[in-house]
Amino acid sequence: MPGVARPSDVGEPLGPLPQEFAAIVRPELPSLIKEIGLEVTRAYPEYARLLDGPYGQGIRVGVEQSISVFVDQVAEPAAPSALRDEMCRRFGRFEAYEGRSLDQLQGAYRLGARIALRRAKKVGRRYNLSPTMMLSFADALFTYVDELEALSREGYLEVRAASVDHTDTLRRRLLHLLLAGPPVPRTAIAELCEQTNWALPEQVTLVAVRAPADLEPLTADRDILADFTDPQPHLLVPGPLTDVRRRMLDHALPGTHAAIGLTVPTVLAPDSLRWARRVIELIDSSIIDDAPIVLCEDHLITLWLLSDPVLLDQLARRELAPIAKIGASRRERLIETLRIWLDTRGTAAQMGELLGVHPQTVRYRMRNLETIFGEQLVDPESRFSTEAVLRAMQLRARGGEDPL
């Protein structure tokens, strides 16, 4: 409140402006308002154009209120300021709508204060006002300017918050459409791209993030689409995941673990996210080793082998049917020997070293396997199917699952 000045820089509290000061200053208001208007529009030509436009009268009222209320509150500290408050908020809203920062408006406020202070010095000399009173006036004036700026900031942030919320909503809707897959009308995607100023890329890379998660917007590239309100948080990176993008994700997702899907044509975005989410599942099952960021491209065979668990069960029953009725202990030894042979095609000595048994034991087991499986180990297609099943079983065992 201007009627009570804040402490001076030297530590001595300044006294309140006497109410008589308002009577001295009030006659100066018409010419002061005009002078401030001229100086501000000269320093900020944008405001000169606004004064000549349809909002000119409203701006003039706002300027008059901003100056008059200061004098009114000197005369009567409880003087109402509702109209002034709303006008200052409107100034802030307008700057937000115009896409500007508050620097220009704050500069205009401070320029007006300097002009008012210059006028006050002339009045002070005319009325022989004391230096202490002039200091009190200056202190109260710049406190008042802080108040005007705070009111304008409220209006500015109100618009910015609403704009950000609306834009974020549109960006999430765009992300959802891209992940919905066909048949999504291309016109709907094109309209959202235009509304959000987002360029539709030819390729995208999807990222699945382990919940709970939060994106640090200050370090995230603006062209990234993200939905962290989803129970399975995810984001879309236009184009491939370059080293620069990788470093950006490290900073934008601090302390969060994520799986990077494959870079695919934009129409295949749902697949990239599906693979990334599957990697998260396999990490949670201890099948894939955990790390802050895991790349799907490093685990394509694992993804393929474990892509359809039910189908894998059926394939395992078919391929391993010849040993299904053998006792569990012997069956496990034969399966392990068969897996090592398919992996290495090694000699009995080499396989024995890997299995921790005598080479003669390996030869004995291999004769048993050849007798049991027969042509299945000779035919390339059957042998490939068996090898795929055994590798999938080994992956399942890492996660503590029953391999069959």
Side-chain angles (χ1 to χ4, degrees):
M1 193 71 67
V4 179
R6 61 186 176 182
S8 70
D9 292 338
V10 296
E12 292 295 329
L14 294 170
L17 287 169
Q19 294 180 341
E20 293 79 6
F21 187 84
I24 295 173
V25 173
R26 199 178 297 280
E28 304 288 328
L29 290 184
S31 61
L32 177 61
I33 290 171
K34 184 176 181 180
E35 183 181 359
I36 289 175
L38 288 173
E39 293 290 340
V40 167
T41 53
R42 185 179 294 120
Y44 302 98
E46 177 65 24
Y47 290 152
R49 291 191 291 271
L50 290 173
L51 283 171
D52 293 333
Y55 303 105
Q57 184 56 33
I59 294 172
R60 291 186 183 90
V61 171
V63 173
E64 292 172 5
Q65 280 291 310
S66 298
I67 298 170
S68 300
V69 168
F70 175 78
V71 178
D72 292 342
Q73 291 183 343
V74 171
E76 178 54 59
S81 62
L83 179 57
R84 179 214 62 175
D85 295 354
E86 179 56 26
M87 295 306 297
C88 287
R89 293 189 183 98
R90 286 185 182 181
F91 288 162
R93 293 187 194 110
F94 185 80
E95 295 298 290
Y97 288 137
E98 290 295 299
R100 293 190 291 261
S101 70
L102 283 174
D103 293 347
Q104 186 168 285
L105 180 59
Q106 290 171 341
Y109 282 144
R110 292 166 191 174
L111 176 57
R114 289 196 297 272
I115 296 168
L117 184 59
R118 185 174 64 197
R119 177 69 65 90
K121 289 178 180 178
K122 293 180 181 179
V123 173
R125 287 193 295 269
R126 189 187 313 155
Y127 288 90
N128 294 317
L129 299 178
S130 69
T132 300
M133 182 178 292
M134 296 309 300
L135 282 174
S136 295
F137 171 79
D139 209 41
L141 178 62
F142 285 102
T143 298
Y144 184 73
V145 169
D146 289 343
E147 187 177 337
L148 298 183
E149 292 181 358
L151 289 166
S152 294
R153 192 176 300 109
E154 286 181 18
Y156 183 85
L157 294 177
E158 173 189 322
V159 171
R160 288 294 299 271
S163 175
V164 168
D165 288 345
H166 180 62
T167 301
D168 286 348
T169 298
L170 292 179
R171 287 165 63 87
R172 282 196 298 271
R173 188 180 304 166
L174 173 59
L175 177 58
H176 294 168
L177 282 181
L178 292 171
L179 294 175
V184 175
R186 301 295 295 177
T187 54
I189 292 178
E191 288 176 6
L192 283 173
C193 286
E194 183 177 355
Q195 292 175 30
T196 57
N197 195 30
W198 192 77
L200 186 67
E202 294 184 1
Q203 292 185 314
V204 293
T205 306
L206 275 293
V207 180
V209 182
R210 182 181 285 121
D214 194 16
L215 182 69
E216 177 51 59
L218 295 179
T219 57
D221 293 345
R222 184 58 187 161
D223 61 348
I224 286 179
L225 302 180
D227 187 356
F228 282 72
T229 64
D230 191 282
Q232 294 179 296
H234 55 280
L235 53 87
L236 178 150
V237 178
L241 191 75
T242 62
D243 291 340
V244 174
R245 293 281 203 187
R246 173 69 181 268
R247 289 193 293 271
M248 178 275 301
L249 283 180
D250 289 339
H251 288 92
L253 298 170
T256 303
H257 288 213
I260 311 299
L262 299 181
T263 299
V264 296
T266 303
V267 294
L268 298 181
D271 293 313
S272 180
L273 181 59
R274 176 168 56 83
W275 297 325
R277 284 177 170 169
R278 180 58 174 153
V279 164
I280 293 287
E281 293 175 359
L282 294 175
I283 290 173
D284 292 339
S285 300
S286 300
I287 293 174
I288 292 177
D289 292 334
D290 197 3
I293 291 184
V294 179
L295 303 179
C296 280
E297 65 181 18
D298 293 338
H299 302 280
L300 295 183
I301 294 298
T302 298
L303 285 169
W304 171 62
L305 290 174
L306 302 181
S307 60
D308 191 331
V310 177
L311 182 59
L312 175 61
D313 289 341
Q314 297 300 317
L315 183 61
R317 288 190 181 94
R318 188 191 74 178
E319 296 303 315
L320 301 181
I323 58 174
K325 296 182 179 180
I326 296 177
S329 179
R330 184 187 175 206
R331 183 172 67 244
E332 288 178 7
R333 292 194 297 270
L334 289 174
I335 287 176
E336 181 66 6
T337 302
L338 178 58
R339 186 184 63 79
I340 293 294
W341 177 72
L342 290 169
D343 284 349
T344 66
R345 298 295 197 277
T347 64
Q350 292 169 335
M351 292 174 59
E353 185 175 347
L354 292 172
L355 290 167
V357 298
H358 194 276
Q360 188 61 34
T361 303
V362 173
R363 296 186 187 95
Y364 172 75
R365 292 181 185 176
M366 287 304 303
R367 286 194 295 270
N368 274 281
L369 288 169
E370 290 168 0
T371 300
I372 294 170
F373 283 95
E375 290 298 316
Q376 188 171 331
L377 299 184
V378 178
D379 178 66
E381 185 173 339
S382 296
R383 190 167 62 240
F384 173 78
S385 297
T386 302
E387 184 175 2
V389 165
L390 294 180
R391 290 198 177 199
M393 289 171 57
Q394 186 180 29
L395 289 170
R396 278 187 171 183
R398 287 191 62 185
E401 295 183 38
D402 185 354
L404 281 176

